[in-house]
């Protein structure tokens, strides 16, 4: 019996983000925010997006979840801030491709930053939903939200 | 332990497979049970030798299929000691059965100002149909709460069960806490107030002897897939005089007596509730599952599962920082133990266990109001069956230790 494979999922960067998540706060002046639930476990994430002209100026999140969903949300807030709206939406798409084990472009990798290491989630298909929750919330917020 | 429980993996080949290169330890029996060869072969035989639609043809095959389908109804009736086979309605599942009761019977008897009494430990299947009924009828849905030891608060139940109560809907065994509620006593109390009682037996019927007449249940529901049969077949038991009053909720073939351009009349219960071609293969498998369980004996199964639970429980309580939900007594857990490991999220724990071959559920277990009451978002849940072995439980406990150590190391 061994847990070696778990090291691919719970790497130091992931554990760092999960225990000290970046931008975990509500943005009262957000342009949009969207809350999504992981129906299987009841976890919830709300993503807040503050737009300035066509730029994503600030991204934050609130909510509870497992190590993977918290780390992924934290990485998402780092990744999307500073991108244009189109790039940010494309960045979310690239992340979905990545965690399903697909190749993504070098440009997309640059957008994703730390989040690129969550590509290892592809090895743990049961956890893809945990990893993508925050990114789905962000994408919906970027595309209109409420 | 008696020999009956040795080498059961001959009957359940899935138990021999590997998960992530480790032997499978299947501890999600509360979600669905594994299906023995005896059930699969009976279904295979039916399709190979006797398949035809039921209640339709006059030819030999159709007759055989119909006889087999109706014979299982007798078996189900005997299994739960129902007064007659006509009190057994085939459905899709527990959920389907509870929806049938809430829609057909609920609409019939519940009126504005009535109260429907359920408990805070109900599965969403035995909660939302009543919540919706209460909304439709402007009735009030009330919840019986838990004692400090997370068993059902009977004093609260007695307090909330009044002459306003039209219906009590309650689970026999909780799919989260593992506790078995005193249904017989509750039925008596309900009947004293002229209320009806609906029993969700999804988690009990495969683990103890259930006797609807002894319980005096007005309705009792369960799913085939939690009692060694396949998915897509369920049972709704109802007292014959209540089923007789209830209108059908689905219309079509099989359920009618005669149809004209402007009108139709229904068959008697149970057939008026079985519109369309039913899950015939599922029914055949249900019969085989009842044979399998009965051959071992429900008392033996119950004793075996109690023994396994009693073996596992102290090993779990001994794990530092492991919190068990529900009673502190192993005997109150009917093979179901929900827990959390320190501050670790249940998903993380379950992924770790999965890497070690141990399959458990992590989540809210379709009981979000109960999770809120327990003050958690989710839990890990291990649920065992008579076919689990002591070695399974040892591997499980060892795996918990390893997962705990793994995350302790990671968070440094
Ligand atoms: C107590 C309880 N009630 C109802 C159900 C619903 O069963 P099904 O999904 O088979 O309809 C379950 C199963 O998850 C359960 O555990």
């Amino acid at each position: 019996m061994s847990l070696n494979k778990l090291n691919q999922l719970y790497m130091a960067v992931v554990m760092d983000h999960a225990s000290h998540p970046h931008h975990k706060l509500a943005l009262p002046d957000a342009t949009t925010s969207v809350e999504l639930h992981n129906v299987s476990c009841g976890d919830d994430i709300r993503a807040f997006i503050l737009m300035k002209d066509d730029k994503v100026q600030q991204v934050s999140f609130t909510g509870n979840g497992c190590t993977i969903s918290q780390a992924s949300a934290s990485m998402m807030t780092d990744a999307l801030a500073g991108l244009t709206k189109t790039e940010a939406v494309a960045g979310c798409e690239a992340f979905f491709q990545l965690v399903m084990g697909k190749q993504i472009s070098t440009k997309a990798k640059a957008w994703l930053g730390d989040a690129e290491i969550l590509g290892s989630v592809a090895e743990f298909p049961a956890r893809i939903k945990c990893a993508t929750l925050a990114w789905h919330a962000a994408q919906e917020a970027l595309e209109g939200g409420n | 332990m008696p020999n009956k429980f040795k080498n059961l993996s001959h009957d359940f080949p899935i138990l021999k497979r590997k998960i992530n290169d480790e032997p499978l330890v299947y501890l999600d029996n509360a979600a669905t049970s594994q299906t023995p060869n005896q059930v699969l072969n009976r279904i295979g035989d039916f399709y190979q030798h006797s398949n035809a639609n039921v209640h339709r043809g006059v030819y030999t095959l159709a007759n055989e299929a119909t006889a087999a389908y109706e014979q299982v109804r007798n078996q189900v009736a005997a299994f739960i000691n129902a007064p007659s086979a006509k009190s057994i309605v085939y459905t899709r599942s527990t959920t389907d059965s509870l929806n049938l009761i809430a829609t057909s019977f609920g609409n019939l008897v519940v009126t504005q100002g009535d109260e429907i009494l359920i408990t805070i430990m109900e599965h969403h299947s035995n909660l939302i149909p009543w919540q919706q009924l209460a909304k439709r009828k402007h009735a009030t849905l009330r919840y019986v709460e838990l004692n400090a030891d997370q068993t059902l608060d009977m004093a609260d139940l007695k307090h909330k069960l009044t002459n306003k109560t039209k219906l009590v809907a309650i689970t026999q065994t909780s799919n989260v806490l593992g506790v078995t509620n005193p249904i017989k006593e509750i039925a008596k109390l309900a009947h004293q107030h002229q209320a009806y009682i609906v029993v969700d037996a999804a988690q009990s019927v495969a683990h103890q002897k259930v006797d609807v007449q002894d319980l005096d249940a007005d309705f009792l529901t369960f799913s085939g897939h939690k009692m060694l049969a396949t998915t897509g077949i369920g049972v709704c038991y109802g007292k014959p005089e209540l089923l007789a009053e209830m209108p059908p909720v689905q219309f079509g073939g099989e359920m009618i007596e005669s149809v004209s351009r402007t009108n139709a009349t229904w068959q008697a219960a149970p057939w008026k509730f079985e519109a369309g071609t039913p899950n015939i293969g599922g029914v055949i498998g249900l019969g085989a599952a009842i044979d399998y369980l009965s051959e071992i004996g429900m008392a033996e199964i119950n004793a075996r599962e109690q023994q396994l639970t009693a073996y596992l429980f102290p090993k779990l309580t001994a794990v530092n920082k492991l919190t068990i939900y529900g009673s502190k007594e192993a005997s109150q857990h009917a093979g179901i133990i929900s827990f959390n490991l320190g501050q670790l999220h249940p998903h993380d724990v379950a992924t770790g266990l999965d890497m070690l071959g141990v399959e458990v559920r992590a989540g809210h277990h379709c009981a979000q109001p109960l999770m809120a009451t327990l003050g958690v978002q989710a839990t890990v849940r291990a649920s065992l069956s008579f076919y689990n072995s002591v070695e399974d439980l040892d591997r499980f406990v060892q795996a918990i230790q390893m997962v705990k150590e793994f995350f302790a190391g990671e968070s440094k």
Side-chain angles (χ1 to χ4, degrees):
Chain A
M1 285 177 124
S2 134
L3 283 172
N4 290 343
K5 195 177 166 204
L6 269 195
N7 290 313
Q8 296 170 27
L9 187 61
Y10 297 100
M11 286 162 291
V13 194
V14 174
M15 298 311 283
D16 264 3
H17 273 275
S19 46
H20 307 288
H22 306 174
H23 313 108
K24 186 171 176 177
L25 74 170
L27 282 185
D29 52 349
T31 317
T32 53
S33 79
V34 166
E35 183 177 49
L36 289 184
H37 296 266
N38 182 336
V39 289
S40 79
C41 57
D43 287 354
D44 52 63
I45 297 269
R46 181 177 282 278
F48 298 84
I49 307 269
L50 176 65
M51 300 295 296
K52 178 117 192 264
D53 304 324
D54 191 43
K55 269 237 151 83
V56 180
Q57 196 171 41
Q58 252 184 306
V59 187
S60 75
F61 81 102
T62 56
N64 295 306
C66 59
T67 303
I68 303 304
S69 81
Q70 291 287 296
S72 182
S74 169
M75 293 168 176
M76 179 276 293
T77 63
D78 289 345
L80 301 186
L83 301 185
T84 66
K85 182 172 163 178
T86 317
E87 287 169 343
V89 170
C92 292
E93 282 302 331
F95 184 76
F96 301 145
Q97 297 295 314
L98 178 80
V99 295
M100 290 191 303
K102 309 241 169 73
Q103 285 298 322
I104 60 170
S105 68
T106 322
K107 187 162 94 189
K109 282 184 187 164
W111 290 335
L112 294 187
D114 278 359
E116 191 194 336
I117 68 161
L118 284 178
S120 60
V121 171
E123 297 281 312
F124 299 81
R127 303 302 296 279
I128 291 175
K129 276 192 200 160
C130 308
T132 54
L133 188 64
W135 297 75
H136 280 295
Q139 193 183 35
E140 284 190 27
L142 286 162
E143 286 172 342
N146 46 42
Chain B
M1 290 189 189
N3 259 345
K4 278 184 180 176
F5 299 106
K6 276 229 166 105
N7 297 324
L8 283 174
S9 60
H10 291 316
D11 294 346
F12 298 87
I14 196 172
L15 299 179
K16 290 187 211 148
R17 73 162 275 187
K18 298 220 158 175
I19 298 287
N20 297 310
D21 301 327
E22 301 284 348
L24 164 64
V25 175
Y26 184 71
L27 290 176
D28 197 16
N29 293 284
T32 201
S33 51
Q34 297 302 342
T35 316
N37 285 336
Q38 287 83 339
V39 170
L40 299 173
N41 293 342
R42 182 93 58 95
I43 297 171
D45 277 352
F46 175 80
Y47 279 107
Q48 283 177 0
H49 305 294
S50 311
N51 183 40
N53 211 328
V54 293
H55 296 305
R56 296 199 171 170
V58 291
Y59 53 90
T60 303
L61 264 189
N63 253 339
E64 278 183 24
T66 305
Y69 178 81
E70 290 301 328
Q71 172 51 28
V72 174
R73 215 188 291 275
N74 294 323
Q75 268 189 283
V76 175
F79 185 61
I80 58 170
N81 193 31
S84 95
K86 291 182 180 161
S87 55
I88 304 299
V89 182
Y90 293 133
T91 64
R92 205 164 49 78
S93 58
T94 306
T95 304
D96 196 30
S97 300
L98 291 165
N99 276 278
L100 168 65
I101 302 164
T103 309
S104 172
F105 187 71
N107 279 357
L108 200 62
V109 301
V110 173
T111 53
Q112 181 160 8
D114 284 348
E115 293 182 0
I116 301 166
L117 187 59
I118 67 173
T119 83
I120 193 62
M121 65 173 82
E122 298 313 313
H123 187 280
H124 293 162
S125 294
N126 197 28
L127 189 162
I128 308 169
W130 309 117
Q131 199 178 56
Q132 291 295 315
L133 174 65
K135 280 188 213 245
R136 278 199 301 279
K137 296 288 182 169
H138 303 285
T140 307
L141 183 65
R142 301 190 74 186
Y143 291 84
V144 180
E145 303 295 332
L146 303 181
N147 290 315
D149 69 352
Q150 297 174 345
T151 56
L152 191 71
D153 185 343
M154 285 299 287
D156 192 44
L157 182 137
K158 286 177 188 154
H159 172 67
K160 287 174 179 159
L161 182 58
T162 69
N163 290 338
K164 283 189 169 174
T165 313
K166 199 42 91 53
L167 201 145
V168 179
I170 181 167
T171 193
Q172 185 162 23
T173 298
S174 161
N175 66 316
V176 176
L177 303 170
V179 68
T180 299
N181 295 315
I183 298 297
K184 188 172 174 174
E185 182 186 349
I186 296 167
K188 199 165 167 194
L189 291 165
H191 291 145
Q192 280 166 7
H193 290 277
Q194 271 71 53
Y196 299 98
I197 180 162
V198 178
V199 181
D200 173 354
Q203 292 298 346
S204 52
V205 77
H207 306 285
Q208 64 171 91
K209 176 72 196 156
V210 171
D211 179 331
V212 291
Q213 295 189 75
D214 179 55
L215 296 174
D216 200 12
D218 294 305
F219 295 94
L220 186 132
T221 62
F222 52 95
S223 299
H225 73 92
K226 293 188 201 281
M227 52 178 289
L228 317 185
T230 54
T231 51
I233 180 67
V235 169
C236 177
Y237 160 78
K239 281 186 179 163
E241 63 274 22
L242 302 179
L243 291 179
E245 282 174 44
M246 287 162 54
V249 295
Q250 284 196 359
F251 304 92
E254 316 251 8
M255 53 80 65
I256 52 92
E257 190 182 56
S258 88
V259 185
S260 71
R261 285 195 178 213
T262 50
N263 221 341
T265 55
W266 323 134
Q267 294 227 40
W271 300 284
K272 69 177 168 186
F273 301 111
E274 295 173 11
T277 300
N279 181 356
I280 305 169
V283 168
I284 300 302
L286 182 64
I290 291 175
D291 282 341
Y292 190 97
L293 292 169
S294 305
E295 193 155 312
I296 302 178
M298 292 314 297
E300 280 86 350
I301 286 175
N302 187 260
R304 158 82 172 181
E305 291 175 352
Q306 280 300 326
Q307 267 176 313
L308 290 172
T309 311
Y311 178 84
L312 175 62
F313 203 79
K315 291 193 158 36
L316 289 180
T317 50
V319 177
N320 195 13
K321 296 208 180 125
L322 187 147
T323 309
I324 292 180
Y325 301 96
S327 171
K328 300 271 173 287
E329 304 289 331
S331 60
Q332 297 275 323
H333 277 269
I336 294 175
I337 305 175
S338 291
F339 63 94
N340 272 317
L341 201 49
Q343 295 302 309
L344 292 178
H345 191 284
H347 268 182
D348 296 322
V349 176
T351 294
L353 294 175
D354 181 40
M355 290 300 113
L356 300 168
V358 179
E359 308 293 61
V360 294
R361 177 88 190 269
H364 56 58
H365 317 293
C366 300
Q368 288 186 331
L370 175 60
M371 293 292 119
T373 301
L374 299 177
V376 295
Q377 197 104 12
T379 75
V380 187
R381 178 187 70 189
S383 54
L384 52 84
S385 167
F386 63 88
Y387 49 68
N388 287 120
S389 63
V390 168
E391 297 77 68
D392 285 347
L393 304 182
D394 288 340
R395 291 189 75 90
F396 169 47
V397 174
Q398 194 192 348
I400 287 184
Q401 289 292 3
M402 291 173 73
V403 168
K404 202 178 133 190
E405 279 157 29
F406 175 88
F407 284 104
E410 287 297 320
S411 58
K412 262 177 213 148

